[in-house]
Amino acid sequence: MAVIEEKRAYRLRWWTLITIAISILIIVLDATVMNVALPTIQRELNASSTQLLWMVNAYTMYSEL
């Protein structure tokens, strides 16, 4: 019985690792998209560097919710 539970726990660890890795990948890709869009955002909204930094931080925090 203990061997079966150990195998199940081992399998569960891998699924947990895969889930976390995919989540982090999505967050990184999302932040990359935002950084690619920054020149257009700056041009269209006449934003300063400080305002762009606030936008990136707010977008990253919001996307993690």
Side-chain angles (χ1 to χ4, degrees):
M1 202 61 141
V3 174
I4 295 172
E5 288 183 21
E6 285 180 25
K7 287 183 180 180
R8 184 173 182 215
Y10 182 76
R11 210 174 323 130
L12 184 60
R13 282 187 212 146
W14 278 106
W15 281 112
T16 304
L17 178 63
I18 290 168
T19 303
I20 291 171
I22 290 173
S23 300
I24 291 172
L25 176 67
I26 290 171
I27 291 170
V28 168
L29 287 175
D30 204 29
T32 301
V33 168
M34 178 65 175
N35 284 319
V36 169
L38 282 179
T40 305
I41 293 171
Q42 185 177 28
R43 186 173 51 251
E44 295 292 324
L45 299 177
N46 294 327
S48 68
S49 297
T50 305
Q51 291 170 328
L52 289 175
L53 183 62
W54 275 97
M55 289 177 204
V56 170
N57 288 338
Y59 184 78
T60 304
M61 287 174 52
Y62 180 75
S63 67
E64 290 179 10
L65 297 176

